[in-house]
Amino acid sequence: MKELMVVAIGGNSIIKDNASQSIEHQAQAVKAVAESVLEMLASDYDIVLTHGNGPQVGLDLRRAEIAHEREGLPLTPLANCVADTQGGIGYLIQQALNNKLAARGEQKAVTVVTQVEVDKNDPGFAQPTKPIGAFFSEAQRDELQRAHPDWHFVEDAGRGYRRVVASPQPVRIVEADAIKALTQKGFVVIGAGGGGIPVVRSAEGDYQSVDAVIDKDLSTALLAREINANVLVITTGVEKVCVNFGKPNQQALDTVNVAQMTRYVEEGHFPAGSMLPKIAASLEFLHYGGSRVIITSPECLPAALRGETGTHIVNA
Ligand SMILES: NC(=O)OP(=O)(O)O
């Protein structure tokens, strides 16, 4: 029986900057990701893909707001923007993979619309932390802040200012069983896109959407746990995780165990809102029985799976 691997693709590896927001650019970027996934399919794993949506969901939300402000069209709630981007990005990945697989007579990529349950009392609703959408200069931010006093912004890793929205912790992947069953049938499943559509459960047991964007690395780790995956792969902008990042004594990490990585977290090596959630998600996955986590860039994925690069976190 093959091992099960869950691979998270960052939304910003599909939209890299403000100049690459068009669908044409995104489709091109997805084709490059699909190449890496095809190489992984040749390895001995069943694969579930998840993806981010930070740039895309901000773009969708802003497009709806502008249509509302200028033309009076109905607003799209943020949760529905998450659902829209989940479908849109899932479609691009699914089509890119199936077009390549068709040459082998296979069509086995499928996207699952995925809801993720959150706690309606999560403190994340009161303290927006999740950056979405485009990058703004300080002057652009000030102008937007004047026009929208209820918006919140953060400075994002030296690249400019971004709007931030609520980001509660994922509690349960509603469609986890369906995703697992599809992998057992041999499908490459694209699920929990954009961190999943945030929902809360009413006293009657019904799901209702709530306006937030869940961190896709945390949802990916939860999904990996719920479907009993062996390996979790998180792709990001760097080939390897570093300690003392940006300092003369910067050191790239190859293979580290949970105790070492926990110490690096405690020493404050990883910034909140970028590498820290990825490390937290990795440690949680390993704590609940996962065997290995790989963190690397999308282009280094195949080499990382061969053990040639990437940061590998292991339980031993
Ligand atoms: N939802 C989410 O975490 O998306 P990004 O990874 O694109 O920020």
Side-chain angles (χ1 to χ4, degrees):
M1 195 168 146
K2 286 183 172 184
E3 286 198 309
L4 182 55
M5 177 163 65
V6 179
V7 183
I9 300 160
N12 56 6
S13 56
I14 302 173
I15 291 183
K16 294 183 196 309
D17 50 36
N18 289 0
S20 57
Q21 297 184 80
S22 72
I23 294 295
E24 289 77 11
H25 272 105
Q26 293 189 59
Q28 254 341 97
V30 163
K31 279 184 190 162
V33 171
E35 287 291 348
S36 285
V37 175
L38 275 197
E39 284 196 49
M40 290 192 298
L41 282 176
S43 64
D44 219 14
Y45 293 98
D46 287 322
I47 294 177
V48 172
L49 296 173
T50 70
H51 59 83
N53 69 343
Q56 295 85 352
V57 76
L59 179 63
D60 262 32
L61 181 67
R62 191 65 198 127
R63 189 184 284 126
E65 287 167 345
I66 290 170
H68 179 70
E69 288 159 15
R70 295 190 185 164
E71 301 280 340
L73 296 179
L75 279 169
T76 308
L78 179 55
N80 294 73
C81 292
V82 174
D84 291 347
T85 56
Q86 201 180 74
I89 300 169
Y91 159 67
L92 291 178
I93 299 172
Q94 177 176 317
Q95 187 183 69
L97 276 174
N98 280 336
N99 281 346
K100 290 181 186 298
L101 287 167
R104 302 185 198 167
E106 297 175 18
Q107 288 277 306
K108 59 185 195 178
V110 62
T111 305
V112 173
V113 173
T114 313
Q115 303 165 94
V116 174
E117 195 175 336
V118 299
D119 180 347
K120 69 178 185 327
N121 298 314
D122 190 294
F125 284 111
Q127 177 84 35
T129 53
K130 179 72 193 161
I132 60 166
F135 293 87
F136 301 110
S137 67
E138 197 170 346
Q140 288 171 320
R141 185 224 32 201
D142 290 347
E143 193 179 329
L144 284 166
Q145 187 75 83
R146 275 193 294 278
H148 306 278
D150 56 328
W151 287 12
H152 300 265
F153 292 88
V154 290
E155 204 285 321
D156 191 347
R159 296 174 297 178
Y161 292 88
R162 291 177 87 189
R163 191 173 169 185
V164 284
V165 296
S167 192
Q169 298 287 309
V171 172
R172 194 172 77 87
I173 311 289
V174 179
E175 285 78 16
D177 286 349
I179 291 170
K180 173 114 188 171
L182 284 164
T183 63
Q184 289 169 338
K185 288 271 184 199
F187 287 96
V188 178
V189 185
I190 302 146
I197 305 158
V199 292
V200 292
R201 207 160 187 192
S202 71
E204 295 75 40
D206 294 340
Y207 291 109
Q208 293 161 353
S209 54
V210 281
D211 284 336
V213 175
I214 304 171
D215 183 280
K216 69 109 184 17
D217 295 316
L218 295 178
S219 292
T220 302
L222 179 62
L223 173 64
R225 274 166 50 195
E226 291 192 355
I227 63 175
N228 302 115
N230 312 88
V231 181
L232 169 64
V233 181
I234 297 180
T235 64
T236 182
V238 291
E239 185 175 339
K240 295 180 183 183
V241 179
C242 290
V243 289
N244 297 310
F245 185 72
K247 297 179 185 164
N249 59 345
Q250 175 174 316
Q251 182 199 345
L253 302 176
D254 296 318
T255 299
V256 288
N257 65 30
V258 167
Q260 287 169 308
M261 196 53 108
T262 304
R263 185 162 51 80
Y264 291 138
V265 169
E266 287 164 1
E267 289 171 359
H269 285 282
F270 309 119
S274 65
M275 193 54 82
L276 188 59
K278 296 180 199 314
I279 303 293
S282 304
L283 293 175
E284 189 153 314
F285 170 69
L286 293 169
H287 177 76
Y288 284 99
S291 61
R292 187 159 58 109
V293 175
I294 303 170
I295 302 179
T296 192
S297 61
E299 43 291 357
C300 290
L301 253 182
L305 278 182
R306 294 192 296 270
E308 295 166 8
T309 189
T311 293
H312 298 245
I313 315 172
V314 293
N315 244 328

